Amino acid sequence: MAEHAYDADARTPVDPAESVSGFQLGVVLIGISITLPLMYSAGELAQGIGFTRAAIATLIGALVLSLMSVPAAIVGARPRLSSYMIIEHTFGYAGAKFINLGFGIFLLGWYAVTAELFGRTLFLAATDLFALAWPEWLFTVLSSAVVTVTTIFGFRAIDRLALIAVPFLLLALAAVVPLSLQEVPFAALLDLEGSGSLDMPTAISAVIGAAIVGVVLTPDLTRYARRTSDCITASFLGQGGGMSIASLMGMIPVLAWGELEPMTYMLLMGFGGFALAVLVFATWTTNVINLYSTALASRASLALGDYRLMVVLLGALGTVVALVGISEHLIDFLIVMGLLVPPIAGVYLTDFFVFRRQDYSESHLARRPALRLTALLVVAASGILSSWLTFNDASITRIGAIDSLLFSALAYMALEKFSAVRQSVPAS
């Protein structure tokens, strides 16, 4: 297969001939949503605040994610550029390096969390199903190698994998939930109040944090959209429907069987090898996307080697981080992402829709400042302020991600208008 522009260079627009429907993009997003970290975090939410409140938190979080995703998707669909080129136009060439460094850290952390849980799942399956005595770290290394090889072949491989995996996963969902409800009736699940270790705003923030990086980086996928309506379809089908389904799938079995490990409760339900296949497909699809986006960020900001080399290097680094073990603080990690990532979207969405800076050509980029310090300062200040408010129980909207998005949009708008007024006033 010939190398496509999106694999070879993240700086070039996607050829319209490569575009796909909103339904296909939504299917890819659903495939991204149904993953081990999300199932773990959903289970922890249900254990912390009970099924009813956790389900409400999930629906609210999914709605917020969908509404945030639509404008971000449109920004990517019009110029057909990756999110990293959009960020470069907004923050300047030098400023984009700082933003992409932050994205790289978050994405690599998410990849490592997923890789660690993937390896653990394979370890449990191999022990119970095949009586293999291999160490857990070996499964983490091997599964990461498979993900890395798949990612090398780019978006088209991801698209095809998701189109195969998602119907299979939905079939599994149709079996997991009823079997769990035979163990514990639905009415009994509704009465479970949880341990009280979490509150509703924290739960909503965790739901948003689980997918917020994907929302901000939505242009990486929607640059393949045919039209604006496809952006809406993909956002609500993927970020809304996919998030809700995957989270509910993670909640019900955990509460019904009293087990947080998906491989363990699926084995208890008698799924055996089918359980292994379900979880492998889900995690494989998601971590390919994680590594794909990380490689795009690195190529756009650092350009250390070609796309394939970056995938290999980042895959190896993420595997090392996974072996260290970072999944013990998953909820905290999600909350932090939900606070620090939205300001980036707040700035580039305001730049695009409010100030109408929509010329993303290379010639226009050359005329923009290499470093747009105002935009960077707004992102940093909004993240710090919303974090301080959240951790001091003083959040304005009670949802930290919304706080940080609104702070960044309003602050950027005010500073840009103030700067324009100053420049229009003649020197005395």
Side-chain angles (χ1 to χ4, degrees):
M1 182 174 64
E3 182 176 65
H4 293 285
Y6 48 78
D7 288 340
D9 193 349
R11 302 182 66 84
T12 58
V14 167
D15 187 336
E18 298 287 346
S19 63
V20 296
S21 69
F23 178 78
Q24 283 180 277
L25 293 173
V27 168
V28 173
L29 288 170
I30 292 176
I32 298 169
S33 298
I34 305 174
T35 180
L36 281 175
L38 188 65
M39 293 168 69
Y40 271 87
S41 63
E44 290 186 23
L45 291 181
Q47 289 178 334
I49 61 175
F51 177 77
T52 300
R53 300 186 72 205
I56 293 173
T58 297
L59 293 175
I60 294 174
L63 177 60
V64 171
L65 289 167
S66 297
L67 293 174
M68 291 173 63
S69 178
V70 170
I74 293 173
V75 172
R78 289 184 181 174
R80 296 192 176 279
L81 288 170
S82 70
S83 59
Y84 309 103
M85 284 305 299
I86 292 167
I87 287 169
E88 188 170 311
H89 279 267
T90 304
F91 293 89
Y93 176 77
K97 293 183 180 294
F98 292 98
I99 299 297
N100 289 331
L101 176 61
F103 271 135
I105 293 171
F106 281 124
L107 287 168
L108 200 60
W110 194 241
Y111 174 86
V113 168
T114 306
E116 182 183 351
L117 297 178
F118 197 8
R120 184 182 304 167
T121 296
L122 294 174
F123 169 74
L124 292 172
T127 301
D128 289 341
L129 297 176
F130 308 109
L132 290 178
W134 296 356
E136 184 175 328
W137 66 265
L138 182 58
F139 289 98
T140 300
V141 171
L142 292 175
S143 60
S144 293
V146 171
V147 168
T148 301
V149 171
T150 306
T151 310
I152 288 174
F153 293 97
F155 180 87
R156 191 58 62 188
I158 302 166
D159 184 28
R160 289 171 179 167
L161 178 62
L163 289 173
I164 295 171
V166 169
F168 184 62
L169 294 172
L170 293 177
L171 178 63
L173 291 177
V176 166
V177 172
L179 285 175
S180 297
L181 293 177
Q182 288 180 11
E183 183 72 11
V184 177
F186 188 67
L189 287 180
L190 295 177
D191 291 334
L192 294 177
E193 296 183 357
S195 65
S197 60
L198 299 171
D199 56 24
M200 181 64 80
T202 301
I204 296 173
S205 295
V207 171
I208 295 172
I212 192 61
V213 172
V215 168
V216 176
L217 301 183
T218 296
D220 287 344
L221 294 181
T222 58
R223 60 188 182 135
Y224 295 93
R226 292 172 181 165
R227 56 187 70 87
T228 300
S229 60
D230 291 323
C231 296
I232 299 173
T233 300
S235 295
F236 279 90
L237 177 62
Q239 302 292 1
M243 167 67 71
S244 301
I245 291 172
S247 295
L248 291 173
M249 176 187 177
M251 292 176 195
I252 293 176
V254 167
L255 294 176
W257 298 93
E259 294 285 350
L260 190 60
E261 295 283 351
M263 192 69 229
T264 301
Y265 61 65
M266 283 190 176
L267 288 173
L268 289 173
M269 285 185 278
F271 277 85
F274 182 68
L276 178 61
V278 169
L279 296 175
V280 164
F281 269 121
T283 313
W284 188 6
T285 304
T286 300
N287 235 17
V288 167
I289 286 285
N290 290 338
L291 192 53
Y292 172 73
S293 294
T294 306
L296 284 182
S298 302
R299 283 284 295 131
S301 61
L302 299 176
L304 297 176
D306 63 13
Y307 168 82
R308 290 175 173 84
L309 178 60
M310 292 306 303
V311 168
V312 172
L313 293 176
L314 292 168
L317 179 58
T319 303
V320 172
V321 177
L323 293 175
V324 173
I326 65 170
S327 65
E328 297 300 320
H329 304 285
L330 179 57
I331 295 297
D332 293 333
F333 178 63
L334 299 181
I335 293 172
V336 170
M337 286 204 296
L339 293 169
L340 300 183
V341 175
I344 299 170
V347 169
Y348 82 61
L349 292 177
T350 303
D351 207 57
F352 187 90
F353 289 106
V354 177
F355 294 108
R356 313 296 294 178
R357 293 164 180 160
Q358 301 177 5
D359 183 357
Y360 287 170
S361 64
E362 288 284 354
S363 59
H364 186 261
L365 176 61
R367 298 194 301 270
R368 301 204 76 177
L371 175 63
R372 300 194 66 231
L373 188 58
T374 299
L376 278 178
L377 291 176
V378 166
V379 168
S382 299
I384 293 171
L385 177 59
S386 59
S387 298
W388 184 86
L389 290 173
T390 296
F391 291 112
N392 285 276
D393 296 323
S395 171
I396 305 300
T397 65
R398 302 299 298 164
I399 301 175
I402 297 179
D403 281 354
S404 61
L405 181 72
L406 292 177
F407 291 161
S408 62
L410 293 174
Y412 183 68
M413 195 184 309
L415 289 175
E416 285 292 288
K417 288 183 179 292
F418 177 72
S419 177
V421 169
R422 285 191 61 186
Q423 292 177 9
S424 65
V425 176
S428 57

mmCIF file of all heavy atoms in Angstrom, residues 126-150:
data_model
loop_
_atom_site.group_PDB
_atom_site.id
_atom_site.type_symbol
_atom_site.label_atom_id
_atom_site.label_comp_id
_atom_site.label_asym_id
_atom_site.label_seq_id
_atom_site.Cartn_x
_atom_site.Cartn_y
_atom_site.Cartn_z
ATOM 1 N N ALA A 126 -3.666 -15.581 30.515
ATOM 2 C CA ALA A 126 -2.709 -16.656 30.282
ATOM 3 C C ALA A 126 -2.606 -17.573 31.492
ATOM 4 O O ALA A 126 -2.475 -18.798 31.357
ATOM 5 C CB ALA A 126 -1.339 -16.058 29.951
ATOM 6 N N THR A 127 -2.704 -16.991 32.686
ATOM 7 C CA THR A 127 -2.611 -17.794 33.915
ATOM 8 C C THR A 127 -3.833 -18.687 34.079
ATOM 9 O O THR A 127 -3.722 -19.880 34.382
ATOM 10 C CB THR A 127 -2.464 -16.873 35.139
ATOM 11 O OG1 THR A 127 -1.291 -16.069 34.985
ATOM 12 C CG2 THR A 127 -2.352 -17.690 36.414
ATOM 13 N N ASP A 128 -5.030 -18.111 33.859
ATOM 14 C CA ASP A 128 -6.265 -18.861 34.090
ATOM 15 C C ASP A 128 -6.621 -19.801 32.943
ATOM 16 O O ASP A 128 -7.116 -20.905 33.172
ATOM 17 C CB ASP A 128 -7.429 -17.888 34.318
ATOM 18 C CG ASP A 128 -7.344 -17.167 35.654
ATOM 19 O OD1 ASP A 128 -6.610 -17.669 36.527
ATOM 20 O OD2 ASP A 128 -7.989 -16.115 35.809
ATOM 21 N N LEU A 129 -6.373 -19.370 31.715
ATOM 22 C CA LEU A 129 -6.807 -20.166 30.563
ATOM 23 C C LEU A 129 -5.754 -21.139 30.053
ATOM 24 O O LEU A 129 -6.084 -22.221 29.569
ATOM 25 C CB LEU A 129 -7.222 -19.234 29.416
ATOM 26 C CG LEU A 129 -8.423 -18.312 29.682
ATOM 27 C CD1 LEU A 129 -8.647 -17.395 28.492
ATOM 28 C CD2 LEU A 129 -9.681 -19.122 29.976
ATOM 29 N N PHE A 130 -4.476 -20.744 30.158
ATOM 30 C CA PHE A 130 -3.426 -21.560 29.553
ATOM 31 C C PHE A 130 -2.359 -22.026 30.543
ATOM 32 O O PHE A 130 -1.408 -22.693 30.148
ATOM 33 C CB PHE A 130 -2.751 -20.770 28.421
ATOM 34 C CG PHE A 130 -3.729 -20.206 27.429
ATOM 35 C CD1 PHE A 130 -3.967 -18.844 27.369
ATOM 36 C CD2 PHE A 130 -4.434 -21.037 26.570
ATOM 37 C CE1 PHE A 130 -4.864 -18.311 26.459
ATOM 38 C CE2 PHE A 130 -5.335 -20.522 25.656
ATOM 39 C CZ PHE A 130 -5.565 -19.158 25.600
ATOM 40 N N ALA A 131 -2.520 -21.644 31.815
ATOM 41 C CA ALA A 131 -1.583 -22.045 32.875
ATOM 42 C C ALA A 131 -0.145 -21.661 32.558
ATOM 43 O O ALA A 131 0.804 -22.372 32.925
ATOM 44 C CB ALA A 131 -1.696 -23.553 33.130
ATOM 45 N N LEU A 132 0.025 -20.511 31.882
ATOM 46 C CA LEU A 132 1.373 -20.022 31.594
ATOM 47 C C LEU A 132 1.925 -19.287 32.801
ATOM 48 O O LEU A 132 1.215 -18.509 33.443
ATOM 49 C CB LEU A 132 1.347 -19.081 30.389
ATOM 50 C CG LEU A 132 1.074 -19.716 29.023
ATOM 51 C CD1 LEU A 132 1.039 -18.633 27.940
ATOM 52 C CD2 LEU A 132 2.122 -20.764 28.687
ATOM 53 N N ALA A 133 3.183 -19.501 33.085
ATOM 54 C CA ALA A 133 3.809 -18.876 34.248
ATOM 55 C C ALA A 133 4.734 -17.731 33.855
ATOM 56 O O ALA A 133 5.688 -17.423 34.555
ATOM 57 C CB ALA A 133 4.585 -19.932 35.039
ATOM 58 N N TRP A 134 4.457 -17.119 32.712
ATOM 59 C CA TRP A 134 5.282 -16.000 32.266
ATOM 60 C C TRP A 134 5.052 -14.784 33.171
ATOM 61 O O TRP A 134 3.950 -14.582 33.680
ATOM 62 C CB TRP A 134 4.938 -15.605 30.830
ATOM 63 C CG TRP A 134 5.235 -16.679 29.817
ATOM 64 C CD1 TRP A 134 5.824 -17.891 30.042
ATOM 65 C CD2 TRP A 134 4.934 -16.633 28.429
ATOM 66 N NE1 TRP A 134 5.920 -18.608 28.881
ATOM 67 C CE2 TRP A 134 5.374 -17.858 27.858
ATOM 68 C CE3 TRP A 134 4.342 -15.692 27.592
ATOM 69 C CZ2 TRP A 134 5.251 -18.157 26.511
ATOM 70 C CZ3 TRP A 134 4.205 -15.987 26.240
ATOM 71 C CH2 TRP A 134 4.655 -17.200 25.703
ATOM 72 N N PRO A 135 6.083 -13.943 33.346
ATOM 73 C CA PRO A 135 5.907 -12.738 34.184
ATOM 74 C C PRO A 135 5.002 -11.718 33.514
ATOM 75 O O PRO A 135 4.904 -11.661 32.271
ATOM 76 C CB PRO A 135 7.335 -12.203 34.323
ATOM 77 C CG PRO A 135 8.068 -12.743 33.138
ATOM 78 C CD PRO A 135 7.462 -14.087 32.863
ATOM 79 N N GLU A 136 4.350 -10.896 34.324
ATOM 80 C CA GLU A 136 3.399 -9.914 33.782
ATOM 81 C C GLU A 136 4.076 -8.913 32.855
ATOM 82 O O GLU A 136 3.502 -8.502 31.844
ATOM 83 C CB GLU A 136 2.708 -9.188 34.944
ATOM 84 C CG GLU A 136 1.630 -8.212 34.505
ATOM 85 C CD GLU A 136 0.888 -7.592 35.672
ATOM 86 O OE1 GLU A 136 0.729 -8.276 36.708
ATOM 87 O OE2 GLU A 136 0.472 -6.426 35.558
ATOM 88 N N TRP A 137 5.298 -8.516 33.187
ATOM 89 C CA TRP A 137 5.982 -7.509 32.371
ATOM 90 C C TRP A 137 6.194 -7.983 30.938
ATOM 91 O O TRP A 137 6.184 -7.174 30.003
ATOM 92 C CB TRP A 137 7.324 -7.116 32.980
ATOM 93 C CG TRP A 137 8.364 -8.208 33.017
ATOM 94 C CD1 TRP A 137 8.646 -9.053 34.044
ATOM 95 C CD2 TRP A 137 9.253 -8.574 31.945
ATOM 96 N NE1 TRP A 137 9.648 -9.932 33.709
ATOM 97 C CE2 TRP A 137 10.051 -9.651 32.423
ATOM 98 C CE3 TRP A 137 9.457 -8.108 30.659
ATOM 99 C CZ2 TRP A 137 11.025 -10.268 31.639
ATOM 100 C CZ3 TRP A 137 10.432 -8.709 29.867
ATOM 101 C CH2 TRP A 137 11.207 -9.770 30.363
ATOM 102 N N LEU A 138 6.369 -9.292 30.734
ATOM 103 C CA LEU A 138 6.585 -9.819 29.394
ATOM 104 C C LEU A 138 5.339 -9.613 28.522
ATOM 105 O O LEU A 138 5.449 -9.277 27.331
ATOM 106 C CB LEU A 138 6.945 -11.299 29.469
ATOM 107 C CG LEU A 138 7.241 -11.989 28.129
ATOM 108 C CD1 LEU A 138 8.393 -11.285 27.412
ATOM 109 C CD2 LEU A 138 7.556 -13.466 28.347
ATOM 110 N N PHE A 139 4.150 -9.762 29.110
ATOM 111 C CA PHE A 139 2.917 -9.544 28.359
ATOM 112 C C PHE A 139 2.760 -8.067 27.995
ATOM 113 O O PHE A 139 2.243 -7.740 26.921
ATOM 114 C CB PHE A 139 1.720 -10.025 29.173
ATOM 115 C CG PHE A 139 1.639 -11.514 29.305
ATOM 116 C CD1 PHE A 139 2.115 -12.158 30.442
ATOM 117 C CD2 PHE A 139 1.110 -12.291 28.281
ATOM 118 C CE1 PHE A 139 2.051 -13.530 30.567
ATOM 119 C CE2 PHE A 139 1.040 -13.673 28.397
ATOM 120 C CZ PHE A 139 1.516 -14.290 29.542
ATOM 121 N N THR A 140 3.186 -7.188 28.896
ATOM 122 C CA THR A 140 3.138 -5.762 28.604
ATOM 123 C C THR A 140 4.038 -5.421 27.425
ATOM 124 O O THR A 140 3.648 -4.670 26.514
ATOM 125 C CB THR A 140 3.560 -4.948 29.839
ATOM 126 O OG1 THR A 140 2.674 -5.224 30.919
ATOM 127 C CG2 THR A 140 3.552 -3.454 29.543
ATOM 128 N N VAL A 141 5.237 -5.971 27.410
ATOM 129 C CA VAL A 141 6.186 -5.703 26.327
ATOM 130 C C VAL A 141 5.662 -6.247 24.997
ATOM 131 O O VAL A 141 5.691 -5.562 23.969
ATOM 132 C CB VAL A 141 7.560 -6.318 26.659
ATOM 133 C CG1 VAL A 141 8.493 -6.230 25.449
ATOM 134 C CG2 VAL A 141 8.187 -5.606 27.855
ATOM 135 N N LEU A 142 5.177 -7.487 25.002
ATOM 136 C CA LEU A 142 4.702 -8.104 23.767
ATOM 137 C C LEU A 142 3.481 -7.388 23.191
ATOM 138 O O LEU A 142 3.394 -7.150 21.981
ATOM 139 C CB LEU A 142 4.378 -9.584 24.017
ATOM 140 C CG LEU A 142 5.571 -10.496 24.320
ATOM 141 C CD1 LEU A 142 5.089 -11.900 24.663
ATOM 142 C CD2 LEU A 142 6.542 -10.530 23.149
ATOM 143 N N SER A 143 2.517 -7.030 24.061
ATOM 144 C CA SER A 143 1.318 -6.342 23.576
ATOM 145 C C SER A 143 1.660 -4.956 23.043
ATOM 146 O O SER A 143 1.087 -4.507 22.040
ATOM 147 C CB SER A 143 0.277 -6.245 24.696
ATOM 148 O OG SER A 143 0.779 -5.521 25.810
ATOM 149 N N SER A 144 2.608 -4.269 23.673
ATOM 150 C CA SER A 144 3.022 -2.957 23.184
ATOM 151 C C SER A 144 3.700 -3.061 21.825
ATOM 152 O O SER A 144 3.547 -2.175 20.975
ATOM 153 C CB SER A 144 3.972 -2.294 24.185
ATOM 154 O OG SER A 144 3.299 -1.973 25.390
ATOM 155 N N ALA A 145 4.435 -4.143 21.622
ATOM 156 C CA ALA A 145 5.084 -4.349 20.321
ATOM 157 C C ALA A 145 4.042 -4.516 19.219
ATOM 158 O O ALA A 145 4.188 -3.960 18.118
ATOM 159 C CB ALA A 145 5.998 -5.574 20.390
ATOM 160 N N VAL A 146 2.964 -5.236 19.497
ATOM 161 C CA VAL A 146 1.895 -5.428 18.512
ATOM 162 C C VAL A 146 1.214 -4.099 18.194
ATOM 163 O O VAL A 146 0.928 -3.782 17.038
ATOM 164 C CB VAL A 146 0.864 -6.454 19.025
ATOM 165 C CG1 VAL A 146 -0.356 -6.494 18.107
ATOM 166 C CG2 VAL A 146 1.495 -7.833 19.129
ATOM 167 N N VAL A 147 0.946 -3.301 19.231
ATOM 168 C CA VAL A 147 0.324 -1.987 19.039
ATOM 169 C C VAL A 147 1.223 -1.094 18.185
ATOM 170 O O VAL A 147 0.761 -0.394 17.280
ATOM 171 C CB VAL A 147 0.034 -1.331 20.405
ATOM 172 C CG1 VAL A 147 -0.329 0.144 20.225
ATOM 173 C CG2 VAL A 147 -1.091 -2.063 21.118
ATOM 174 N N THR A 148 2.518 -1.117 18.459
ATOM 175 C CA THR A 148 3.467 -0.289 17.713
ATOM 176 C C THR A 148 3.484 -0.652 16.235
ATOM 177 O O THR A 148 3.450 0.222 15.360
ATOM 178 C CB THR A 148 4.879 -0.438 18.309
ATOM 179 O OG1 THR A 148 4.870 -0.034 19.679
ATOM 180 C CG2 THR A 148 5.884 0.412 17.539
ATOM 181 N N VAL A 149 3.520 -1.937 15.933
ATOM 182 C CA VAL A 149 3.529 -2.390 14.532
ATOM 183 C C VAL A 149 2.256 -1.951 13.820
ATOM 184 O O VAL A 149 2.298 -1.471 12.674
ATOM 185 C CB VAL A 149 3.694 -3.922 14.457
ATOM 186 C CG1 VAL A 149 3.473 -4.406 13.032
ATOM 187 C CG2 VAL A 149 5.075 -4.336 14.950
ATOM 188 N N THR A 150 1.103 -2.082 14.487
ATOM 189 C CA THR A 150 -0.161 -1.668 13.876
ATOM 190 C C THR A 150 -0.171 -0.171 13.593
ATOM 191 O O THR A 150 -0.622 0.274 12.534
ATOM 192 C CB THR A 150 -1.341 -2.007 14.799
ATOM 193 O OG1 THR A 150 -1.288 -3.387 15.139
ATOM 194 C CG2 THR A 150 -2.668 -1.703 14.123
#
